[in-house]
Every structure is written in structure tokens, then in C-alpha cells.
Amino acid sequence: MTAVVEIEHLSKAYQRGGQVVPVLQDITLTLQTGDFVALMGPSGSGKSTLLNLIAGIDAPDSGLLRVAGVDITGLRESELAQWRAEHVGFIFQFYNLMPVLTAYENVELPLTLTHLSRRQRCEHARLALDLVNLSDRADHYPSQLSGGQQQRVAIARALVTDPTIIVADEPTGDLDRVSAREILDLLESLNDSLRRTIIMVTHDQAAAECAHIVRHLEKGVLTDKIEYPRERAQA
Amino acid sequence: MIYLFRLIARNTLRHPLRTLLTVLGIVVAITAFGLLRTTVDAWYAGAEASSASRLIVRNKNSLTFPLPLYYGAKIRGIEGVDSVSAAQWFAGIYVDKKNFFPQFAVDPRTYFALYPEFVIPPEQMKAFLLDRRGAIAGRKIVEKFGWKLGDQIPLIGTIYPGTWSFVLRGVYTGANSRTDETQFFLHWDNLNETLKKVAPDSANQVGIFLVGLKNAREAPLVAQRIDAQFRNSRAETLTETEKAFQLSFVAMTEAILLVIQAVSFLVIAIIMAVMANTMAMTARERRREYATLKALGFPVRFIAALIIGESLFITCAAGALGAWLIHPAAAYVGRKYGTIFPIFNVSDDTVVMAMLATLLVGLVAAAGPALQASTRTVSEGFRAAG
């Protein structure tokens, strides 16, 4: 196992109404390739901020943040965008699909940033849709899909570029119980069968139990760590 | 790149009613802009169509004061003068005051030789010359009033009292699109003979002399010679080129022209504000999508191109339609108000200006939202989207 995310003494604060509000304080964390990590904590604890920092869509104030061996705190915005395209797959709470694109087009979209040919892009996108069992809905627009189906399209989009890490921010937060279970099963299966590194922010204990590492944040500080045996997660 | 155009095209049609209303607004604005610019051009049409080889001699005091007929012979003898003709403003009313068209009493033999742009069939010219009550009218007014050759045309005199009846003997057409086809010509001799009987003091006088030059480049010199000839006389003259003469009429209404020009630019400013509001609403609604695209790794220029592209797509499509509509709209105005604006042609400059204005509207409207969407970080974008 190799370290895919290395965080040392990471801090982040926001300016609010002229006041500096610390969000993350002295975070040190290492995640290995193939880990499925759930970040939990009350609202405002900094879990989404930590996820955003790992995904390279926000910048820390201090500390070291290395993902797949790259110190992303030193990258310029344009370099960071390119890095995200290559290394990060995103799953959002509200799916964030492009409403004017079909399911297939939404999945193909990140591939347009690669050097793949049109045929290769088509193959990859079809395969990703197949993985989330939505091949038959490829030509449907997001508005023609249920919430669970939209989230599966979003997962296919996150997978399609074969990223180093997948970050999921409350991926079941907008779904009913049945759909949420389907999404969690899908994430588990991706982690188990494809060895994807998944970092998931969630409020939901049931969702967190799908992960095999659960980290809690309290007021911007990492507190306890719970590790579940991989077999239990699979069970 | 394919996805950029696909997103632009589909985003444009996302709110069909909003897009349609915006397009309609731009079409109306660009057509109005074109019509207003064409109106300004129409004002200058007389000056633009004037010949550099012709001078106009008028009374120095005012155009309303006549010049003695015998000045013509003296002018003919001045160095540099090739030919001389005379004309008198008639100002008759045809049936109703609203049926205005310019009427001139002229010496037909010399006048039409000076104005080759008035094309008259030879047999019609012959018929006109043989009939002292004859008249020649421009194609546009003949069509407007449905006249035919041989028709009696009554004019109620405003300068020269009484009802005057003329027989239409000829119809002239313009040699080019800039020629005024709304004028009406009658025999000066006929007018003068009548004046000799009813108002002898007004006889043997003309409103202006028209001077043909041997060499157009000598115009200033010949004008000086003519004015010098009549200095300290009973009726001093003011000689100027035909263009300057025409522009002196334009100068009288310069304030109106300035207002029309200002309104034409105001129309563009208003539609710019409307379009900017549309693009601001659009960008605000799509903050989450822009943030998502950025998170996926799309560069800032892609987001900016999405917004600018959509704005240009709407404005250019609407602008092209508006610019195309200027022509039929101007043709309608030209037909309807042909006697007020004898030349109402849409110039290439007007079309180019309309398209440039369209482009400007598209770019300015998108600039703010594009800049905001580009400079906002991903997390700021998601926070702003709520």
C-alpha cells in the first residue's frame, strides 16, 4: 500500500465580517491507495473544507498537502485545474450534472480534457455508464432521470477519467433511503473491485459504515479514528 | 471545442421565451438604429448627390430674395463658366398640403443639360418643350399619385396666387440611386409670362442661377469672380458649390440631426443594458454549473467562452436579422415618406455600424458575468450557488 494523500499540519481559516474564523487546525492525515474514508462531524466542523483542500478546489493557509506525490499547494490555478482533471473524480450532493447534456454526454464531458480520440472517449463513457448500470439511459437528460440515477451518472462521470482519488461530498444527502443504499453499494463495489480511493463526507452513520476508515472532525480538529475491517464493509 | 459549441447552443435555448424576447428586443433596436442612421443619411443625400462641377448663385441677403434675370447673361460671360441656367421655387399645393413635393420653374433647354442625372425619354422631352403648360415629374411622385402622361395636374400657388394647371408631358428617372425622383419641373417662361400680366414687379426674376463649370477645380475662383461681378449692385450674390448650398439647408436642422444621432446611440445603450441584465441573470442561475466545470478541470477561459459565446450567439443572430430588416423597413419608409426623404437608401456603412453595434452589445453584456464567473474560485462558486 502506498500513501496517496499526505497531509501535515494543515490549517485553513476564512475571513467572515472582518473576523478570522479558523476552520481547520493542524490537520495531519495519511490515506493509502484503495482506502475508503468517511469524514464525519457536525456542521461547521470543517469536513467539507478538508475534502475541498484534498480535491484541490480550495487552498490551505499553511501545511503540507501532497496527493499522489504532488504538492498541490504549490500549483497555480491553471495547473491545479489540469491536475484535478487528471487525478480527481467528483461526486456532489446535488449531482451537479449539466442539465443540457444527456447522461452519456455528461460522462464524456471530462474526457474532452484528455487527449483521447472521439472513439476512445465513446468507449470509456459507455463502459462507465455500464459500470453504474445506466447504459439504457445514455440518451436521457438529467431531468428525465431519478435522483438515484442522476447520482449514478455523476459517479460514472467521476470514474471515467480513471482518477487517483474520488471525492464525494454527501453523495446520499439528497436521496431517499433506497436510492441512497444503491449509491453506497455502488461506491463500495467500486472501492472493492476496482480499488478506487474514495474520500466521502457524510452525516449519515449508515453511509459512514460503508467506509472502512471513519475520521471525525470537531471544530476543525481531527479527533477519533475508527477502522472497520474490509471484510465487514464487504459484508 | 465541440462541447463548448454544444453547451452554448443548448444553453441559448434553455429559456426559449427569455431568449425570444431578448432576440426581439435586439432586432427592434438594431432595425431602429439602422432606420435612424438612414434618416441622418437621407438628410445629407442632397449634398452627397450634388455635382462638384456646378455652382449655385443666389441673393446674398436671403434665398427668399430673387435675382434679376439679366444676371444670367453676365454670369455666362465670366471666365470659367461653361453654362448657366435658372430656376424658381414654385411652392404649389397639389390637392392637399400633405402632398408636398418640390416644384421648380426652369428653363428646360439649359436646365436639363446641366442635370444629366435626370433621365428623360427624348420624345417626352420634345413634348415638354413644345407645351408651355407642360411639366416633367420624377418617377416616385408619378407612381405615388398615379399620374399618367397627358394628365392635368392642378397646383394651388402659395407664392404665386391662383390655381395653376399643368399637363404631364414627361417622367424622369434617376441615373443612379442617389438621384432625387420626387421633383416637379415646369416652364419658367410660362410662369414669367403670367407674372408679367398679374404682378409685373415679380417678372423677369429668378430664385437661383445654376452654373456649369468648365473645370470643377476652379469652383472657388469662379464663385469669387461671380460675386465680385455683382458687388455693390442692387442684388449682391452669394455663389457656392452645389454641395455647400445643400449643406446650408442641412445646417438649418442640425439640432434635429444631433437628436436623431443621439437617439440612435441611446437605442444601442438601452439594448446593451437589457442584454447585460439577461446575461447577468443567466450567469447567476448557472453558478453551480460553472463551479462544477471548473472543479472537473475546465480552464477559466472555457467558462468565459461559454458566457461570451452565448451572449454573442444571441446578439449576432438577432443583430443579423435586425440588420437585414433595415432594408425592407427603409423601403417602406422611403415609399411612405418619399417626398420628405426622396433618397432613403440604407448605406453599407449603416449595415456595418449595426453589426458592429451588435457585436459590442454582445461583448459588453457578457463582460461582467464572464469576469465574475472566471475570477470566482470553485468553492466560492458553490457557496454562491447555495
Side-chain angles (χ1 to χ4, degrees):
Chain A
M1 295 265 268
T2 52
V4 67
V5 177
E6 297 164 88
I7 299 170
E8 287 174 24
H9 309 296
L10 195 80
S11 294
K12 174 76 182 174
Y14 287 121
Q15 289 269 355
R16 274 187 202 138
Q19 281 196 319
V20 178
V21 180
V23 182
L24 293 173
Q25 297 173 66
D26 199 29
I27 302 284
T28 296
L29 175 71
T30 302
L31 305 178
Q32 308 294 333
T33 305
D35 277 354
F36 186 169
V37 183
L39 295 174
M40 293 195 77
S43 293
S45 59
K47 53 191 187 302
S48 287
T49 302
L50 180 58
L51 192 77
N52 289 346
L53 292 174
I54 294 169
I57 58 175
D58 213 344
D61 296 333
S62 63
L64 178 91
L65 172 54
R66 193 178 285 136
V67 181
V70 178
D71 177 8
I72 61 170
T73 58
L75 298 179
R76 290 200 307 267
E77 183 51 46
S78 57
E79 294 169 330
L80 208 51
Q82 198 178 343
W83 176 84
R84 283 196 301 268
E86 289 170 15
H87 294 281
V88 188
F90 287 91
I91 302 168
F92 303 97
Q93 181 179 358
F94 300 110
Y95 335 125
N96 291 5
L97 300 175
M98 297 295 125
V100 291
L101 299 180
T102 63
Y104 168 79
E105 289 167 335
N106 265 291
V107 175
E108 193 195 20
L109 189 62
L111 293 175
T112 60
L113 294 169
T114 66
H115 297 293
L116 294 178
S117 68
R118 195 176 170 183
R119 217 182 79 183
Q120 287 170 316
R121 289 205 310 263
C122 178
E123 283 169 9
H124 281 65
R126 298 268 174 218
L127 186 65
L129 276 172
D130 207 26
L131 270 173
V132 297
N133 284 323
L134 276 177
S135 298
D136 56 333
R137 299 298 179 102
D139 296 328
H140 286 60
Y141 286 91
S143 59
Q144 298 168 317
L145 300 171
S146 69
Q149 287 170 329
Q150 287 186 59
Q151 193 61 299
R152 275 150 67 193
V153 174
I155 292 171
R157 181 181 66 184
L159 279 176
V160 77
T161 52
D162 192 20
T164 311
I165 55 171
I166 292 174
V167 295
D169 194 355
E170 303 269 13
T172 57
D174 195 45
L175 298 175
D176 59 62
R177 273 180 57 193
V178 176
S179 301
R181 190 65 254 166
E182 282 175 9
I183 294 301
L184 292 171
D185 289 345
L186 184 58
L187 291 176
E188 274 187 273
S189 127
L190 293 174
N191 176 249
D192 289 332
S193 55
L194 301 175
R195 305 295 293 163
R196 302 286 165 183
T197 306
I198 300 173
I199 307 156
M200 175 175 72
V201 162
T202 184
H203 275 109
D204 182 2
Q205 187 60 41
E209 284 173 7
C210 293
H212 57 267
I213 298 170
V214 179
R215 298 304 308 259
H216 280 269
L217 278 132
E218 285 285 346
K219 294 180 181 172
V221 178
L222 275 176
T223 54
D224 53 333
K225 175 181 179 183
I226 303 166
E227 286 196 55
Y228 297 111
R230 190 170 282 277
E231 295 73 30
R232 198 201 96 160
Q234 280 173 326
Chain B
M1 201 59 134
I2 295 167
Y3 268 83
L4 177 66
F5 291 124
R6 196 175 292 177
L7 280 167
I8 288 171
R10 292 188 194 170
N11 277 338
T12 303
L13 300 172
R14 216 154 135 181
H15 296 287
L17 183 64
R18 186 197 293 172
T19 304
L20 182 72
L21 290 174
T22 308
V23 165
L24 268 177
I26 297 169
V27 168
V28 170
I30 292 298
T31 307
F33 174 80
L35 280 180
L36 290 168
R37 303 295 313 170
T38 304
T39 305
V40 173
D41 288 346
W43 232 283
Y44 287 98
E48 291 301 318
S50 57
S51 167
S53 62
R54 289 193 292 251
L55 295 177
I56 306 288
V57 184
R58 64 179 175 92
N59 193 305
K60 190 179 177 182
N61 291 327
S62 166
L63 193 59
T64 55
F65 291 98
L67 291 170
L69 181 65
Y70 69 84
Y71 275 24
K74 287 193 171 184
I75 294 169
R76 202 168 288 117
I78 289 171
E79 191 186 344
V81 172
D82 183 52
S83 57
V84 178
S85 188
Q88 177 65 46
W89 181 248
F90 186 75
I93 295 170
Y94 174 67
V95 186
D96 191 282
K97 273 184 182 175
K98 67 180 181 187
N99 296 329
F100 170 82
F101 51 86
Q103 303 137 21
F104 296 97
V106 299
D107 171 19
R109 284 186 175 80
T110 53
Y111 188 88
F112 289 107
L114 263 172
Y115 284 88
E117 56 264 48
F118 297 141
V119 180
I120 306 162
E123 68 280 5
Q124 291 180 18
M125 178 54 107
K126 194 176 170 187
F128 173 60
L129 292 174
L130 290 172
D131 183 359
R132 293 185 79 180
R133 282 182 55 238
I136 284 183
R139 180 187 60 84
K140 281 186 182 171
I141 50 168
V142 170
E143 286 174 2
K144 181 177 178 182
F145 299 119
W147 294 337
K148 293 185 294 296
L149 291 177
D151 279 0
Q152 295 278 339
I153 297 163
L155 294 179
I156 301 161
T158 54
I159 300 173
Y160 309 106
T163 299
W164 300 68
S165 186
F166 301 98
V167 181
L168 186 67
R169 294 298 180 196
V171 179
Y172 77 84
T173 51
N176 57 58
S177 61
R178 295 186 307 170
T179 308
D180 179 0
E181 292 180 328
T182 66
Q183 297 187 45
F184 185 89
F185 299 103
L186 48 118
H187 285 274
W188 181 83
D189 283 348
N190 180 30
L191 172 67
N192 197 45
E193 289 306 316
T194 308
L195 289 176
K196 277 179 183 170
K197 291 175 202 159
V198 298
D201 290 349
S202 300
N204 294 324
Q205 292 184 358
V206 297
I208 53 170
F209 285 103
L210 304 120
V211 177
L213 297 169
K214 286 176 180 166
N215 185 347
R217 280 179 295 184
E218 288 184 355
L221 200 62
V222 175
Q224 280 176 17
R225 285 176 192 149
I226 293 171
D227 291 341
Q229 171 76 41
F230 302 108
R231 193 162 296 139
N232 300 320
S233 67
R234 187 164 65 90
E236 290 196 1
T237 59
L238 174 66
T239 306
E240 54 198 346
T241 60
E242 196 176 74
K243 188 167 191 170
F245 180 73
Q246 295 282 359
L247 285 175
S248 67
F249 286 99
V250 176
M252 291 176 203
T253 52
E254 205 162 21
I256 298 172
L257 279 185
L258 283 174
V259 169
I260 294 173
Q261 281 176 318
V263 169
S264 73
F265 289 114
L266 202 64
V267 166
I268 296 299
I270 290 169
I271 202 64
M272 198 179 273
V274 170
M275 186 64 198
N277 184 49
T278 301
M279 288 315 297
M281 275 200 299
T282 299
R284 197 162 47 242
E285 285 168 4
R286 297 180 194 159
R287 282 187 291 212
R288 181 179 295 279
E289 289 164 40
Y290 300 146
T292 303
L293 287 168
K294 273 190 184 177
L296 294 179
F298 283 88
V300 164
R301 62 176 181 276
F302 185 88
I303 312 298
L306 260 186
I307 297 169
I308 294 168
E310 186 174 342
S311 181
L312 286 178
F313 190 78
I314 293 172
T315 50
C316 287
L321 183 60
W324 178 81
L325 274 176
I326 297 170
H327 290 89
Y332 173 77
V333 173
R335 273 198 307 276
K336 185 92 178 163
Y337 304 102
T339 49
I340 299 169
F341 298 114
I343 310 297
F344 204 78
N345 298 332
V346 182
S347 69
D348 290 345
D349 285 356
T350 295
V351 176
V352 169
M353 275 183 81
M355 286 312 295
L356 285 176
T358 300
L359 207 61
L360 189 70
V361 167
L363 289 173
V364 170
L371 188 69
Q372 198 176 37
S374 304
T375 50
R376 188 177 274 149
T377 66
V378 180
S379 48
E380 281 170 351
F382 283 130
R383 268 201 299 276

